[in-house]
Amino acid sequence: MWTGWMTWEQILPFKEQIIDWELEVMVKYHYPDKSIPREYPESRVNNLKEYLEGGTTFFWGAIEDGKLIGYYWGYISNFLGVMRWNTRSNYISEEARGKGLGQRSYEEALLKAKELGCKEAVSMYASFNKSAAHIYDKLGYDISRIEVIKQI
């Protein structure tokens, strides 16, 4: 298995798969009550090339037997004068789950964040996503905010 930070050229062969996975995550964990057209995650992935070239977005992947089996997509930002590492997205394929790859992707992300001078790492996840909660807890993240939504 190969793992590492990927360039757009390395990502491109897996672009359609990433779009599908991004849509799956959006529907399952972020907006289960909404109808999300494939064009929405497609536009985000299409912009990834520009983001990578800007030097503030990073994409870590795991490839086995020529197949992408998981990824971590993060970016840096300045929040009130503090450099932050933000998790944009993380996905581990069904067949690769339970092998520690999700945690490994976050550990690699935290190393990259530290290398870039970030002082905080932040993310959001759905409260019912127990896998994400376990990883964040194991890596020492603290809960700071809860999003609440009222339908009107």
Side-chain angles (χ1 to χ4, degrees), residues 51-90:
Y51 298 148
L52 290 166
E53 290 171 354
T56 58
T57 295
F58 303 87
F59 194 96
W60 181 92
I63 299 172
E64 189 169 62
D65 298 326
K67 289 177 45 180
L68 182 69
I69 60 170
Y71 66 87
Y72 176 101
W73 179 350
Y75 62 95
I76 58 174
S77 64
N78 186 318
F79 179 71
L80 300 174
V82 176
M83 288 303 294
R84 277 186 156 184
W85 178 269
N86 302 267
T87 297
R88 161 65 177 77
S89 187
N90 179 257

Side-chain angles (χ1 to χ4, degrees), residues 24-40:
E24 179 184 331
V25 167
M26 286 177 183
V27 169
K28 186 174 183 177
Y29 293 115
H30 298 286
Y31 308 104
D33 58 334
K34 306 228 183 289
S35 177
I36 302 171
R38 189 172 190 277
E39 292 78 21
Y40 184 75

Side-chain angles (χ1 to χ4, degrees), residues 45-132:
V45 174
N46 284 336
N47 289 335
L48 180 56
K49 178 182 181 189
E50 179 184 330
Y51 298 148
L52 290 166
E53 290 171 354
T56 58
T57 295
F58 303 87
F59 194 96
W60 181 92
I63 299 172
E64 189 169 62
D65 298 326
K67 289 177 45 180
L68 182 69
I69 60 170
Y71 66 87
Y72 176 101
W73 179 350
Y75 62 95
I76 58 174
S77 64
N78 186 318
F79 179 71
L80 300 174
V82 176
M83 288 303 294
R84 277 186 156 184
W85 178 269
N86 302 267
T87 297
R88 161 65 177 77
S89 187
N90 179 257
Y91 189 93
I92 306 301
S93 67
E94 195 71 42
E95 67 269 13
R97 292 180 189 161
K99 299 177 183 176
L101 199 53
Q103 180 172 333
R104 182 172 172 198
S105 69
Y106 276 88
E107 290 169 346
E108 293 293 332
L110 292 172
L111 288 172
K112 176 61 84 175
K114 192 172 188 175
E115 172 190 318
L116 295 168
C118 294
K119 302 298 181 200
E120 295 177 339
V122 299
S123 184
M124 292 185 287
Y125 70 94
S127 60
F128 56 87
N129 185 345
K130 301 303 180 199
S131 296

